[in-house]
């Protein structure tokens, strides 16, 4: 027999008088009967077991031992064939075998491949605790992986940003909205479902504060699968960065969360180098769909941290300063930027022979004069949660219209770290397109503030806020929840953005870069 495996989860959190957990064993022996089914039954309910009864075994200890006022509940398991019998008879029943057990707090979805077993192990009390479920995995279910990111054959790629979900183990509570009735997390998930169906993005980016923290995300394992559910259901690749509240979640660190997130379906999340500040500093490439696999867009993801300072008092540790992007992240970013391969821009397919009419060729393409093309890095977009101080600097002036290059509203107070290692001056402004200059990073996308939904260009770099996407995060009655869309066309040359509101409206649409956009910054 194999070693005992302890499921490191309390079976009755916030409901029992002591910690209760369970163990199971894995085996590779050929003569041990394997478990093929599970049931949860009350006392004297053995008559509800499916026949034949002699295949069932019961655990003598109640799973609700220590829970006041709730009837006893017992785990029953069904013994199937041994592995030796399956091999001898050439019968493969691995899809029926129980492979893994875990615990889910609340009514969110289990992780991929797991199923809930009813009834709840412990029944929650409104406003005090949540239902606790035993979840199990049958058979071996490979986790679906995202395909490499690439532009369509028409040269399009769309990103949907989802900001500040603030999800809890419970269903959360709606804040600052006229929506009635309103059910925090579940209504936000429904809003996300509608928006995904409207936009059909190629990539979804969760830009921080996916978890509410503040005592309501006390079991982050039971929340992580919930917020990514709509994206996973549609098989859309997704990425994320952490926000400050994502660290206010009990004993599961950012490293622990990231290990879970990396193993979720269609996730492109990466841990990043261990020797620089933060967790989840990484780069994704969006490539051409032709055999050359040319990188046409670079996406940078950075961890802006949680808090850099705080104080202890009678109520615990209280944060006083937001964290900030550190020198090690500046060095890492510039190194990654230096590795970005240059190619002739604007890029176009060399040939459409292998793809028939799929390219939808226009009169442009090879008719462009060589003098119009040069070796340049692909355009870059960057995502991190907490805005840097320079985000709020004076906007550039469009030399043609003589107007400030900004759109949308700044409805929150400025919310930036007090400390600054110089990410703007030493990082963003030093990452050039080529030896002649030019900004590699065209757009920085932030979360953190839930009302501000503006885009502003500062020294050639656009800083865009999403605005809050969730009813479970703070807001303001009359200000729509929303999502930001980045529509990248012309093989990465043109970047357009707009907000998609909770009512399905498109607002503040603007071309940031490329055809139809403002004059490129020179300085």
């Amino acid at each position: 027999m194999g070693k005992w495996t302890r499921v490191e989860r309390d079976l009755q959190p916030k409901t029992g008088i002591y910690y209760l957990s369970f163990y199971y064993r894995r085996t590779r022996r050929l003569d041990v009967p394997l478990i093929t089914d599970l049931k949860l039954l009350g006392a004297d309910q053995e008559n509800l077991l499916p026949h034949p009864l002699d295949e069932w075994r019961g655990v003598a200890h109640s799973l609700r031992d220590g829970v006041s006022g709730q009837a006893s509940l017992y785990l029953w398991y069904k013994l199937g064939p041994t592995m030796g019998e399956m091999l001898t008879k050439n019968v493969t029943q691995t899809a029926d075998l129980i492979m893994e057990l875990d615990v889910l707090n609340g009514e969110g979805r289990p992780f991929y491949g797991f199923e809930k077993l009813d009834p709840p192990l412990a029944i929650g009390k409104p406003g005090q605790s949540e239902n606790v479920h035993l979840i199990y995995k049958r058979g071996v279910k490979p986790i679906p992986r995202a395909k490499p990111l690439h532009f369509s054959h028409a040269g399009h790629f769309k990103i949907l940003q989802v900001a500040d979900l603030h999800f809890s183990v419970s269903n959360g509570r709606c804040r600052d909205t006229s929506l009635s009735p309103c059910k925090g997390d579940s209504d936000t998930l429904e809003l996300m479902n509608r928006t995904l169906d409207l936009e059909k993005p190629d990539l979804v980016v969760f830009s921080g504060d996916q978890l509410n923290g503040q005592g309501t995300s006390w079991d982050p394992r039971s929340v992580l699968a919930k917020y990514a559910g709509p994206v996973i259901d549609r098989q859309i690749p997704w990425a994320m960065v952490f926000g400050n509240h994502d660290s206010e979640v009990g004993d599961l660190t950012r490293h622990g969360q990231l290990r879970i997130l990396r193993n979720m379906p269609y996730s492109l999340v990466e841990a990043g180098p261990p020797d620089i500040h933060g967790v989840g500093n990484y780069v994704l490439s969006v490539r051409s769909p032709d055999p050359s696999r040319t990188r046409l867009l670079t996406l940078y993801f950075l961890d802006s941290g949680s808090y850099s300072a705080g104080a202890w008092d009678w109520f615990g540790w209280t944060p006083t300063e937001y964290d900030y992007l550190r020198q090690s992240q500046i060095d890492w970013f510039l190194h990654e930027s230096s590795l970005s391969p240059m190619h002739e821009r604007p890029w176009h397919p060399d040939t459409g022979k292998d793809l028939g009419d799929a390219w939808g060729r226009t009169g442009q393409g090879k008719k462009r004069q060589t003098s119009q093309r040069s070796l340049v890095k692909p355009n870059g977009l960057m995502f991190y949660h907490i805005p840097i101080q320079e985000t709020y600097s004076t906007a550039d002036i469009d030399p043609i219209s003589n107007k400030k290059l900004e759109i949308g509203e700044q409805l929150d107070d400025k919310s930036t770290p007090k400390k600054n290692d110089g990410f703007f001056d030493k990082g963003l402004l030093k990452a050039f397109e080529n030896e002649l200059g030019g900004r590699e990073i065209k757009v920085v996308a932030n979360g953190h503030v839930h009302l501000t939904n503006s885009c502003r260009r500062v020294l050639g770099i656009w800083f865009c806020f999403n605005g809050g996407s969730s009813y479970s995060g703070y807001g303001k009655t009359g200000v729509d929840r929303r999502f930001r869309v980045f529509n990248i066309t012309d093989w990465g040359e043109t970047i357009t953005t707009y907000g998609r509101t909770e009512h399905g409206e498109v607002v503040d649409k603007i071309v940031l870069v490329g055809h139809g956009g403002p004059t490129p910054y020179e300085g």
Side-chain angles (χ1 to χ4, degrees), residues 303-324:
D303 182 9
S304 57
S306 52
Y307 305 99
S308 63
W312 289 94
D313 55 28
W314 291 105
F315 302 101
W317 189 80
T318 301
T320 57
E321 293 184 20
Y322 291 121
D323 208 346
Y324 56 101

Side-chain angles (χ1 to χ4, degrees), residues 433-508:
E433 286 186 314
N434 60 18
E435 66 279 0
L436 300 178
R439 307 279 186 246
E440 178 198 3
I441 301 299
K442 299 302 192 296
V443 183
V444 172
N446 296 127
H448 191 54
V449 291
H450 301 190
L451 302 179
T452 297
N453 50 64
S454 62
C455 281
R456 170 184 298 170
R457 201 180 82 173
V458 178
L459 298 184
I461 299 172
W462 285 94
F463 291 92
C464 291
F465 289 101
N466 184 98
S469 301
S470 174
Y471 298 114
S472 297
Y474 82 81
K476 182 179 181 181
T477 302
V479 177
D480 282 350
R481 266 59 176 189
R482 65 188 63 209
F483 304 81
R484 180 164 291 283
V485 176
F486 294 102
N487 196 23
I488 301 99
T489 56
D490 301 327
W491 310 106
E493 294 299 316
T494 302
I495 303 173
T496 304
T497 190
Y498 54 86
R500 175 73 75 170
T501 74
E502 62 184 283
H503 300 295
E505 299 172 338
V506 171
V507 296
D508 296 334

Side-chain angles (χ1 to χ4, degrees), residues 139-190:
V140 178
K141 296 181 174 64
I143 297 173
R145 295 300 181 191
K147 296 179 180 179
L149 301 177
H150 62 83
F151 279 81
S152 71
H153 294 312
H156 299 166
F157 188 83
K158 183 185 287 187
I159 301 171
L160 180 74
Q161 180 184 356
V162 181
D164 297 86
L165 291 175
H166 284 265
F167 276 7
S168 302
V169 172
S170 71
N171 200 29
R173 65 180 183 88
C174 287
R175 300 180 60 184
D176 311 316
T177 177
S178 58
L179 183 67
S180 180
C182 184
K183 297 170 289 185
D185 295 2
S186 59
D187 275 334
T188 299
L189 289 170
E190 180 55 34

